[in-house]
């Protein structure tokens, strides 16, 4: 098959780019031809997930003719991802079957986070509609701006209007399947293709490092729950009498607040900033536990599976799609979000106290990561693209 990948960004180093690089490389290895259509220009010093040899079409420099040129390449199907410029998806869908992968709450939430931040931060379970606009400002669902509300609502409505134009919609979890089914995507055109870890190693069989170290990896924003994690570690230290350290990999607007909080409550915390792949993997290998304390409904929570590929068990709030890979009492601890920091802390305390269980969870975390393999994911994607294009592929 000739597969046109479409995404608004290129070479920005985010999770979608890592995903695209892995999938494109693997599909090319299966004998498919690949091209890449992107809206934004390539960042200086960055590399394309499709590699330099693939045809590239850039809307930022070529305008609408870039889309025409991409279609002139005669793709059998398009695999579209994050696309802020919806006119691109619309133009593609008019000429070629488009399989759309929804990496977030696009067309099902005005602000895209599916969370209310006032009076307290809780996941939103509403179906997208005009009623959401009435809640956007009072519940702090996004920017405190009428202009932002108007612009984001119009975009979400336009994205929702394209649902019927896609040949298939792919999501990473049953949670997201329910989200899109509840917002108008027909069940028969919705497919779950669980994500996969892009690296990994063998489960650590030795003694748990001292001090016991909890790892956080991700963007440091309020809905990622880093403050709850710091308080949870403090609670676990008080409960067990054991020193527990934390390493925060990443950056974001809450970094300084989380660091100050850790100092106030007596948690030894290191903030590394963003790390390259090799250094990040080294952090996985040295961690006793990966924490995913998100209070927003993560579409999947891939970081936990990434850590699991190195045999690192997880502790997380039971939100969104996290339960797809984290099985309570099997490969970690899944905590009710309503329990807050104390419940999260109790789970961390259990991990500290039950070293035998922790050791067993290491192997199971690795096994779950092997189950959710790239090959299984690709089998689903390849089938959908072949089905959409009516090109047989075996």
């Amino acid at each position: 098959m000739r597969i046109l990948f479409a995404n608004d960004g290129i070479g920005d180093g985010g999770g979608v780019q890592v995903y695209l690089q892995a999938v494109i490389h693997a599909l090319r290895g299966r004998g498919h031809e690949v091209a890449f259509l992107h809206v934004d220009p390539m960042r200086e010093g960055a590399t394309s997930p499709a590699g330099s040899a693939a045809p590239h079409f850039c809307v930022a420099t070529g305008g609408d003719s870039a889309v025409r040129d991409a279609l002139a390449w005669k793709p059998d199907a398009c695999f579209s991802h994050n696309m802020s410029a919806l006119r691109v998806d619309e133009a593609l869908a008019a000429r070629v079957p488009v399989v759309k992968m929804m990496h977030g709450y696009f067309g099902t939430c005005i602000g895209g986070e599916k969370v209310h931040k006032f009076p307290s931060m809780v996941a939103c379970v509403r179906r997208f509609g005009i009623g959401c606009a009435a809640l956007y400002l009072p519940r702090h669902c996004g920017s405190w701006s009428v202009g932002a509300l108007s612009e984001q609502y119009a975009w979400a409505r336009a994205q929702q209007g394209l649902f019927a134009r896609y040949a298939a919609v792919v999501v990473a979890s049953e949670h997201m399947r329910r989200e899109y089914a509840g917002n108008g995507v027909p069940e028969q055109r919705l497919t779950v293709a669980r994500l996969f870890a892009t690296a990994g190693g063998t489960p650590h069989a030795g003694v748990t490092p001292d001090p016991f170290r909890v790892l956080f990896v991700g963007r440091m924003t309020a809905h990622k729950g880093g403050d709850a994690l710091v308080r949870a570690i403090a609670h676990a230290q008080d409960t067990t009498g054991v020193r527990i350290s934390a390493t925060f990999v990443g950056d974001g607007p809450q970094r300084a607040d989380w660091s100050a909080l850790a100092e106030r409550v007596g948690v030894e915390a290191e903030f590394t900033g963003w790390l390259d792949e090799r250094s990040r993997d080294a952090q996985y290998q040295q961690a006793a536990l990966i924490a995913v304390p998100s209070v927003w409904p993560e579409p999947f929570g891939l970081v936990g599976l990434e850590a699991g590929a190195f045999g690192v068990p997880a502790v997380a709030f039971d939100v969104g799609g996290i339960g797809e890979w984290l099985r309570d009492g099997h490969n970690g601890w899944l905590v009710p979000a309503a329990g807050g920091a104390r419940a999260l802390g109790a789970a961390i305390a259990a991990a500290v106290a039950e070293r035998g269980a922790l050791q067993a969870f290491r192997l199971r975390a690795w096994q779950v990561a092997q189950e959710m393999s790239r090959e299984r994911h690709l089998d689903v994607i390849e089938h959908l693209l072949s089905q959409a294009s009516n090109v047989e592929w075996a």
Side-chain angles (χ1 to χ4, degrees), residues 307-327:
F310 290 91
V312 183
V315 58
F317 287 128
D318 187 6
V319 294
I322 288 177
E324 299 283 314
W325 54 265
L326 179 52
R327 302 160 193 172

Side-chain angles (χ1 to χ4, degrees), residues 6 76-81 88-101 165-169 189 385 388:
D76 295 306
C78 173
F79 193 18
S80 180
H81 296 267
V88 173
D89 267 7
E90 186 174 13
L92 291 170
R95 295 278 303 279
V96 66
V98 174
V99 174
K100 180 73 174 182
M101 185 158 189
R165 306 285 298 278
Y166 298 130
V169 174
R189 288 197 289 111
L385 290 167

Side-chain angles (χ1 to χ4, degrees), residues 212 232 235-236 289 314-316 328 332-335 341-354 358:
F212 189 98
H235 176 67
L289 198 64
V315 58
D328 186 45
W333 290 263
L334 195 58
V335 179
R342 289 187 69 84
L344 194 67
I348 294 172
V352 172
E354 300 169 17
L358 183 67

Side-chain angles (χ1 to χ4, degrees), residues 25-371:
H25 176 77
L27 286 175
R28 189 180 279 130
R30 291 186 175 198
H32 301 287
E33 294 181 66
V34 170
F36 199 90
L37 170 66
H38 53 101
V39 175
D40 302 333
M42 175 84 78
R43 296 189 179 192
E44 186 176 351
T47 59
S48 166
S52 58
H56 284 72
F57 311 96
C58 178
V59 175
T61 56
D64 291 341
S65 64
V67 180
R68 291 194 293 271
D69 291 343
L71 290 167
W73 181 71
K74 297 188 181 304
D76 295 306
C78 173
F79 193 18
S80 180
H81 296 267
N82 291 353
M83 185 56 65
S84 55
L86 293 179
R87 72 182 190 281
V88 173
D89 267 7
E90 186 174 13
L92 291 170
R95 295 278 303 279
V96 66
V98 174
V99 174
K100 180 73 174 182
M101 185 158 189
M102 294 297 189
H103 295 271
Y105 297 97
F106 305 122
T108 74
C109 174
I110 299 176
E113 295 178 349
K114 206 68 182 182
V115 66
H116 300 303
K117 298 174 186 174
F118 183 84
S120 60
M121 193 169 294
V122 294
C124 173
V125 296
R126 290 181 59 86
R127 178 172 178 162
F128 173 70
I130 190 63
C132 299
L135 295 175
Y136 180 92
L137 295 175
R139 298 298 302 273
H140 297 195
C141 299
S143 302
W144 187 252
S145 162
V146 173
L149 163 60
S150 176
E151 181 180 343
Q152 291 174 5
Y153 180 83
W155 187 93
R157 178 60 80 190
Q159 174 64 94
Q160 190 179 60
L162 283 173
F163 289 171
R165 306 285 298 278
Y166 298 130
V169 174
V170 186
V171 292
S173 65
E174 282 294 325
H175 164 75
M176 292 300 283
R177 185 196 62 77
R178 292 190 296 271
E179 175 73 11
Y180 277 91
N183 280 276
V185 178
E187 292 273 4
Q188 66 271 21
R189 288 197 289 111
L190 261 173
T191 298
V192 176
R194 292 177 179 85
L195 296 179
F196 53 89
T198 56
T202 55
H204 190 281
V207 177
T208 303
D210 186 26
F212 189 98
R213 197 163 68 87
V214 179
L215 178 65
F216 170 98
V217 179
R219 182 157 169 77
M220 298 179 187
T221 56
H223 61 270
K224 287 290 186 177
D227 54 340
L229 175 58
V230 171
R231 291 190 173 94
I233 292 173
H235 176 67
Q237 286 186 148
D238 292 342
T239 301
T240 63
V242 174
R243 184 165 62 101
I244 304 169
S245 67
T247 299
F248 288 82
V249 175
D251 209 341
Q254 297 300 118
R255 175 175 175 169
D257 288 345
W258 295 355
S259 178
L261 176 62
E263 187 172 353
R264 282 201 311 274
V265 299
V267 171
E268 180 185 313
E270 176 188 15
F271 289 77
T272 68
W274 293 110
L275 298 176
D276 60 35
E277 183 177 352
R278 184 175 180 180
S279 298
R280 184 201 61 211
D281 290 351
Q283 292 289 345
Y284 286 139
Q285 291 168 330
Q286 297 162 17
L289 198 64
I290 182 77
V292 189
S294 295
V295 291
W296 81 301
E298 291 275 1
F300 185 77
L302 180 59
V303 64
L305 192 66
E306 295 272 13
F310 290 91
V312 183
V315 58
F317 287 128
D318 187 6
V319 294
I322 288 177
E324 299 283 314
W325 54 265
L326 179 52
R327 302 160 193 172
D328 186 45
H330 181 80
N331 58 338
W333 290 263
L334 195 58
V335 179
R342 289 187 69 84
L344 194 67
I348 294 172
V352 172
E354 300 169 17
R355 298 299 175 97
L358 183 67
Q359 191 63 43
F361 287 1
R362 284 175 173 166
L363 176 59
R364 294 173 194 157
W366 182 83
Q367 288 171 336
V368 170
Q370 305 315 301
E371 291 169 16

